[in-house]
Amino acid sequence: MSANTAQAAPSRGRDFSIGRFLLEGRAFFALIAIIAVFSFLSPNYFTLSNFLIMSSQVAIYGILSIGMLLVILNGGIDLSVGSILALCGVVAGAMMQGVEISAAGVILYPPVWAVVVLTVTVGALVGALNGVLVAFFKVPPFVATLGVMYVARGVALLMTNGLTYNNLRGSAALGNTGFNWLGFNRLWGVPISVIVLATIAVLAGLMLSRSAFGRWLYASGGNERAAELSGVQVRRVKITVYTLSGALAAIAGLVLSSQLTSAGPTAGTTYELTAIAAVVIGGAALTGGRGTVRGTMLGAFVIGFLSAGLVIIGVSSYWQTVFTGAVIVFAVLMNSLQYGRGTRRG
């Protein structure tokens, strides 16, 4: 054994500590603590039926958060996901109401699968616009996505005149039934929305850990200049992550509209902040290059289960906002301790 190896082994042993273990696993321990506290306060909190209900609500946050994770890993931010969710919900609602295709007033009612495909395409295109602004025009991500946030929300308001599309169940006579399938149906007792979230999470996790694109994403987020010199196509990575974020926001919009059987231009307000919070609580670094899908999912469940628990025990909605904000601030502080400490050691 060389001298360097001999010195490395003890240093690895010294790196492990209870404090570091708790710090890096904070999202998991926070989730366990939330479940324990609210189960004690309300015996109905962690029943199987309520767990499935809470999970179906968390699915929307989780889908948004995975898209946000990809952007944050790249060193960016996406403030437009809540507005894209609303816009895509409105687009789906409009198509469910029928599309006029001629001056004679012929109205086409597209099948639900076409509504889903077109809606996700709209979300991906809006996300791609974010990516182009950031990658090619060098607009700071905060500014670019803030502008797109207002544009998407404004377009949704213009499309509906501020109104809401209701009763989006479809009609057998029109051949477009099944829109509420995502929100209400279950497979093997599990809500479809939870299955959708699990599928997206698995695919995103595999992409980040097993694909060349995942390596490029971590590299460009960690040190963009070094990644570019190493042959990583940084612009393509940027556009791809924003496009995926937009597409996932569209899917979240479809799930939400399906659960509510309605779509309105004000849906998803502040959801972008919830998505960012889930990513941060899950241990991702806002500076880019560090984070996992597993941690982000835990962060989404922490926020969702905390909000649901506060509702069940009858806490005022004002206090719910205070508690959620406190959790976010605490998570950012923990991130600062974790990555700041790592930087000092390096």
Side-chain angles (χ1 to χ4, degrees):
M1 182 182 294
S2 66
N4 289 339
T5 306
Q7 291 173 358
S11 68
R12 282 195 299 268
R14 284 194 302 269
D15 279 344
F16 177 80
S17 68
I18 295 297
R20 184 177 180 185
F21 175 70
L22 293 174
L23 185 63
E24 294 181 353
R26 60 188 175 275
F28 174 75
F29 295 118
L31 181 60
I32 295 300
I34 288 169
I35 292 173
V37 169
F38 286 112
S39 295
F40 174 77
L41 294 175
S42 172
N44 297 321
Y45 176 75
F46 206 61
T47 60
L48 178 59
S49 60
N50 195 51
F51 172 76
L52 292 175
I53 291 171
M54 291 191 296
S55 297
S56 65
Q57 295 170 346
V58 169
I60 297 166
Y61 298 150
I63 293 169
L64 279 179
S65 299
I66 291 174
M68 187 66 72
L69 170 67
L70 300 178
V71 173
I72 288 177
L73 284 176
N74 191 239
I77 201 77
D78 190 351
L79 300 179
S80 66
V81 292
S83 296
I84 294 175
L85 178 151
L87 173 62
C88 290
V90 165
V91 167
M95 286 190 283
M96 291 295 294
Q97 303 298 311
V99 180
E100 189 170 334
I101 60 172
S102 73
V106 176
I107 298 179
L108 173 68
Y109 293 91
V112 171
W113 68 264
V115 172
V116 170
V117 170
L118 291 172
T119 300
V120 174
T121 301
V122 169
L125 289 174
V126 178
L129 173 61
N130 281 326
V132 169
L133 290 173
V134 173
F136 283 94
F137 294 95
K138 305 299 182 183
V139 180
F142 182 91
V143 177
T145 59
L146 182 65
V148 171
M149 177 186 78
Y150 280 107
V151 170
R153 186 75 67 179
V155 170
L157 288 165
L158 287 170
M159 288 179 64
T160 62
N161 275 333
L163 302 177
T164 298
Y165 292 118
N166 294 309
N167 196 28
L168 300 181
R169 299 176 185 272
S171 166
L174 300 175
N176 65 348
T177 56
F179 185 78
N180 59 339
W181 182 79
L182 277 174
F184 288 96
N185 279 34
R186 297 190 177 196
L187 185 63
W188 304 303
V190 180
I192 297 297
S193 57
V194 176
I195 295 175
V196 171
L197 170 62
T199 302
I200 292 172
V202 169
L203 292 176
L206 290 174
M207 180 186 72
L208 291 177
S209 62
R210 302 292 179 86
S211 71
F213 178 79
R215 293 191 292 274
W216 296 345
L217 177 53
Y218 279 108
S220 60
N223 190 322
E224 184 174 311
R225 180 58 180 162
E228 198 167 21
L229 292 174
S230 300
V232 175
Q233 299 184 34
V234 173
R235 284 182 175 177
R236 180 182 296 181
V237 172
K238 284 183 185 293
I239 293 173
T240 300
V241 295
Y242 281 101
T243 301
L244 289 173
S245 179
L248 291 174
I251 294 173
L254 286 167
V255 172
L256 179 61
S257 299
S258 178
Q259 290 179 350
L260 300 176
T261 65
S262 65
T266 58
T269 303
T270 72
Y271 277 25
E272 58 277 353
L273 302 181
T274 303
I276 294 169
V279 175
V280 173
I281 291 170
L286 288 173
T287 51
R290 295 172 178 175
T292 64
V293 173
R294 179 181 64 254
T296 297
M297 288 300 92
L298 286 171
F301 274 89
V302 165
I303 293 177
F305 279 25
L306 173 63
S307 299
L310 293 172
V311 170
I312 288 174
I313 65 174
V315 173
S316 163
S317 59
Y318 305 128
W319 277 109
Q320 291 175 36
T321 303
V322 172
F323 281 122
T324 303
V327 169
I328 294 169
V329 171
F330 183 74
V332 172
L333 176 61
M334 292 299 99
N335 273 20
S336 177
L337 291 174
Q338 180 181 355
Y339 296 122
R341 184 180 297 172
T343 302
R344 288 192 296 271
R345 263 202 303 265

